[in-house]
């Protein structure tokens, strides 16, 4: 192929020389034998003066320019023929096109080379001076025809893969950990200390995470202090540490995993730092000795069973940003002394506050979208209940056995009142229900003491929905 290329280049050069010779002969550069020496000298002098003047002006005669342009056009055509031939050879030999070949083929046309300006032709058929000026133009591919830039990209990709940060599992003292290029993760504590200060670094890298179950079921830990480098506490990290009384969390903590302190029965105090936005399921489940809990305003959700059966917890205020309380989150937290809910709460799960007898007042805001069954079941300390327009239903047993409630006004947004919703509210003497409520369930107000109520005449209800039998006088 290379021989073909240089043969074409040589042929074009010879053709150019012949055409130039013919022109010079026609212009009188070669005198016939019949011309006199004097005439020849005179004409030669005149032609030299003319050509010199033209060159001095930066121009060449039109016929010379035409010959040059034709020659360059032929040369450019030769370049393209050579490139096409090379591509065809590669496709025949390899059975497939290379990355650079496919690009060139798609951009070429089958006709003669187009010329403009200097007359040279690029890959796409437009002028590209570098193609005729340098033969290195044709050396942009390697021996296999693959683009060198593709090889470079492949090398970069390989380099990225080789530098991917992978963990190296190792041990130092009482700690097993995964070591990365810029941090370490504790995977298991094997020591037997009573009081433990977790180190800042392991393997020369900062400890950023306490891994899942890393300290779980320790039989000795009583007091733990963790460094501020820790950002994450994994799932069940300290679960079942029966002797654990106190934990000082990292100020930079942002993630507190599910069940992190599940069943730490002797844990008495915990302060959650500001960076945490969620308390996961079972985080402090059955921490029966937990008394003092500090929750930052940044908390947006509290998961199911998060504080289940924390009966000594004296929590008096929920985070202002809280929007979701999961099922049984505060089940049987009898020492809670809430007087109001956050203003923007959207969801309260089933039995979320069941048995929280220390709650004195509840105001369901207009932002509330879902209220679970038995949400406030048995909250005997509630004396004030306000339900703002927004929620669509009062679910089953939502306020059952709340013996301190004396009055309730059902807003127009409530379409249905579920079975036993207010059953056993033995102090409930005044009930107001709008005409927009169209369904009242079984025993909805059973054992209440009010004696009069007005409902929509089209409202569906059961014979035992109210503590007395309704008549036509009870309809709107």
């Amino acid at each position: 192929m290379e021989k073909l290329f240089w043969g074409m280049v040589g042929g074009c050069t010879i053709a150019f020389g012949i055409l130039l010779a013919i022109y010079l002969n026609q212009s009188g550069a070669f005198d016939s034998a019949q011309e006199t020496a004097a005439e020849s000298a005179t004409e030669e002098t005149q032609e030299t003066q003319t050509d010199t003047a033209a060159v001095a002006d930066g121009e060449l005669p039109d016929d010379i320019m035409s010959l040059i342009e034709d020659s360059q056009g032929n040369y450019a055509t030769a370049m393209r023929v050579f490139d096409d031939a090379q591509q065809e050879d590669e496709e025949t030999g390899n059975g497939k096109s290379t990355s650079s070949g496919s690009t060139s083929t798609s951009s070429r046309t089958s006709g003669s080379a187009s010329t403009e300006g200097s007359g040279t032709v690029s890959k796409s058929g437009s002028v590209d001076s570098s193609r005729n000026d340098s033969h290195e133009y044709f050396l942009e591919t390697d021996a296999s025809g693959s683009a060198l830039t593709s090889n470079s990209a492949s090398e970069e990709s390989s380099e990225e893969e080789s530098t991917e940060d992978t963990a190296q599992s190792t041990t130092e003292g009482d700690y097993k950990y995964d070591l990365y290029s810029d941090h370490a993760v504790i995977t298991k504590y094997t020591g037997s200390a009573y009081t433990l200060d977790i180190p800042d670094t392991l393997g020369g890298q900062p400890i950023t995470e306490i891994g899942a179950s890393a300290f779980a079921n320790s039989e000795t830990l009583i007091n733990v202090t963790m460094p501020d480098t820790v950002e994450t506490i994994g799932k069940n990290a300290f679960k079942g540490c029966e002797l654990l009384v106190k934990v000082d969390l990292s100020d930079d903590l942002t993630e507190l995993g599910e069940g992190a302190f599940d069943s730490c029965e002797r844990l008495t105090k915990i302060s959650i730092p500001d960076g945490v936005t969620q308390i996961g399921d079972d985080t402090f489940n059955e921490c029966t000795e937990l008394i003092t809990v500090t929750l930052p305003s940044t908390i947006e959700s509290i998961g199911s069973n998060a504080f289940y059966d924390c009966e000594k917890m004296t929590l008096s205020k929920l985070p202002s940003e809280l929007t979701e309380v999961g099922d049984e989150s505060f089940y049987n937290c009898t020492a809670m002394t809430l007087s109001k809910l956050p203003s923007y709460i959207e969801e309260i799960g089933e039995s979320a506050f069941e048995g929280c007898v220390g709650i004195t007042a509840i105001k369901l805001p207009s932002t509330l979208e879902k209220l679970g069954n038995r949400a406030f079941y048995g909250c005997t300390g509630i004396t004030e209940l306000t339900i703002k327009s927004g929620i669509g239903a009062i679910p089953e047993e939502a306020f059952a056995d709340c013996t301190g409630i004396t009055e309730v006004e059902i807003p127009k947004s409530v379409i249905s009142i579920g079975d036993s919703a207010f059953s056993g509210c033995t102090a409930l003497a005044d009930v107001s229900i709008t005409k927009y409520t169209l369904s009242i369930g079984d025993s909805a107000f059973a054992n209440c003491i009010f004696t009069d109520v007005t409902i929509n005449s089209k409202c569906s209800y059961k014979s035992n929905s109210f503590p007395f039998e309704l008549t036509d006088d009870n309809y709107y």
Side-chain angles (χ1 to χ4, degrees):
M1 186 59 62
E2 186 172 316
K3 291 180 179 180
L4 173 62
F5 167 72
W6 289 114
M8 291 180 176
V9 171
C12 291
T13 303
I14 293 171
F16 175 78
I18 292 172
L19 292 171
L20 183 60
I22 293 172
Y23 170 78
L24 293 174
N25 182 56
Q26 291 175 346
S27 63
F30 301 109
D31 297 324
S32 64
Q34 289 79 16
E35 290 179 326
T36 61
E39 290 175 341
S40 175
T42 300
E43 291 176 358
E44 185 174 351
T45 299
Q46 292 175 344
E47 283 188 25
T48 300
Q49 293 173 345
T50 302
D51 291 344
T52 300
V55 172
D57 292 337
E59 300 178 355
L60 290 175
D62 291 342
D63 46 0
I64 290 293
M65 285 300 299
S66 178
L67 287 170
I68 291 174
E69 289 174 358
D70 289 341
S71 178
Q72 287 183 329
N74 292 332
Y75 182 75
T77 302
M79 298 300 99
R80 197 174 64 174
V81 170
F82 170 78
D83 208 6
D84 287 341
Q86 184 184 42
Q87 171 65 19
E88 181 178 355
D89 182 65
E90 288 169 353
E91 291 179 349
T92 303
N94 300 329
K96 60 181 181 179
S97 62
T98 63
S99 60
S100 62
S102 61
T103 302
S104 299
T105 302
S106 64
S107 62
R108 297 190 186 100
T109 59
S110 59
S112 59
S114 62
T115 60
E116 56 179 282
S118 64
T120 58
V121 183
S122 73
K123 292 180 182 180
S124 62
S126 60
V127 174
D128 185 349
S129 59
S130 63
R131 185 163 184 143
N132 285 343
D133 291 344
S134 172
H135 294 300
E136 294 299 320
Y137 187 96
F138 296 99
L139 301 181
E140 292 178 353
T141 56
D142 59 17
S144 66
S146 299
L148 295 179
T149 53
S150 297
N151 289 342
S152 299
S154 177
E155 290 173 2
E156 290 177 4
S157 176
S158 299
E159 185 177 351
E160 289 177 1
E161 291 177 2
S162 65
T163 58
E164 184 179 350
D165 195 10
T166 55
Q168 177 184 353
S169 298
T170 186
T171 301
E172 183 177 321
D174 294 330
Y175 299 96
K176 293 181 180 180
Y177 62 97
D178 288 341
L179 183 64
Y180 295 84
S181 63
D182 59 355
H183 69 284
V185 177
I186 295 176
T187 56
K188 187 65 179 176
Y189 173 70
T190 59
S192 57
Y194 295 108
T195 298
L196 181 65
D197 289 335
I198 299 173
D200 294 341
T201 62
L202 284 172
Q205 297 298 336
I207 298 171
T208 60
E209 181 177 345
I210 307 297
S213 303
F215 293 86
N217 301 312
S218 170
E219 297 179 353
T220 60
L221 285 177
I222 296 174
N223 191 352
V224 174
T225 300
M226 63 182 62
D228 288 340
T229 56
V230 174
E231 300 173 355
T232 301
I233 296 177
K235 185 176 181 179
N236 300 328
F238 293 88
K239 181 178 180 178
C241 293
E242 296 180 354
L243 299 181
L244 188 62
V245 174
K246 182 183 178 185
V247 177
D248 291 328
L249 300 178
S250 163
D251 287 341
D252 291 336
L253 189 68
T254 59
E255 184 175 343
L256 187 57
E258 295 181 1
F261 298 96
D262 187 358
S263 302
C264 292
E265 297 175 357
R266 287 177 171 80
L267 184 65
T268 61
K269 181 180 180 180
I270 197 77
S271 180
I272 311 297
D274 291 341
V276 177
T277 59
Q278 296 180 339
I279 295 179
D281 297 349
D282 303 305
T283 301
F284 297 98
N285 175 54
E286 295 189 342
C287 292
T288 53
E289 295 297 319
L290 185 60
I291 298 174
T292 304
V293 175
T294 303
L295 300 177
S297 61
T298 55
I299 298 292
E300 297 174 358
S301 67
I302 297 176
S304 298
N305 304 300
F307 293 93
Y308 183 94
D309 209 20
C310 294
E311 58 185 8
K312 294 183 179 181
M313 183 176 65
T314 57
L315 188 66
S316 61
K317 183 180 180 181
L318 292 177
S320 59
E321 299 297 320
L322 185 66
T323 60
E324 180 181 349
V325 178
D327 297 344
E328 299 183 331
S329 290
F330 296 96
Y331 178 90
N332 201 37
C333 292
T334 55
M336 283 184 68
T337 57
L338 291 180
S339 59
K340 65 177 181 179
L341 294 175
S343 300
Y344 303 104
I345 197 163
E346 298 174 358
E347 182 175 339
I348 298 175
E350 292 188 10
S351 300
F353 296 95
E354 182 174 342
C356 295
V357 296
I359 298 177
T360 59
I362 287 296
K363 178 180 179 180
L364 300 184
S366 59
T367 56
L368 188 66
E369 298 174 355
K370 179 182 178 182
L371 182 65
N373 296 341
R374 299 173 66 95
F376 293 93
Y377 182 94
C379 293
T380 56
I382 298 177
T383 58
E384 297 180 22
L385 174 62
T386 304
I387 305 174
K388 302 292 287 185
S389 185
I391 191 172
I394 307 296
E396 296 179 10
E397 299 182 296
F399 297 95
D401 288 346
C402 290
T403 56
I405 298 176
T406 58
E407 61 179 318
V408 63
E409 182 177 343
I410 307 298
K412 63 181 182 181
S413 62
V414 173
I415 297 175
S416 67
I417 299 174
D419 296 347
S420 302
F422 294 90
S423 175
C425 293
T426 54
L428 187 55
D430 187 7
V431 175
S432 174
I433 302 175
T434 71
K435 62 182 178 181
Y436 298 98
T437 299
L438 299 177
S439 175
I440 299 175
D442 250 348
S443 303
F445 294 93
N447 300 315
C448 296
I449 62 172
F450 66 95
T451 58
D452 190 30
V453 71
T454 303
I455 64 173
N456 191 317
S457 60
K458 296 182 180 179
C459 178
S460 171
Y461 63 94
K462 304 294 184 180
S463 60
N464 61 353
S465 294
F466 299 96
F468 55 89
E469 184 176 350
L470 298 186
T471 67
D472 290 344
D473 292 337
N474 297 115
Y475 300 138
Y476 281 110

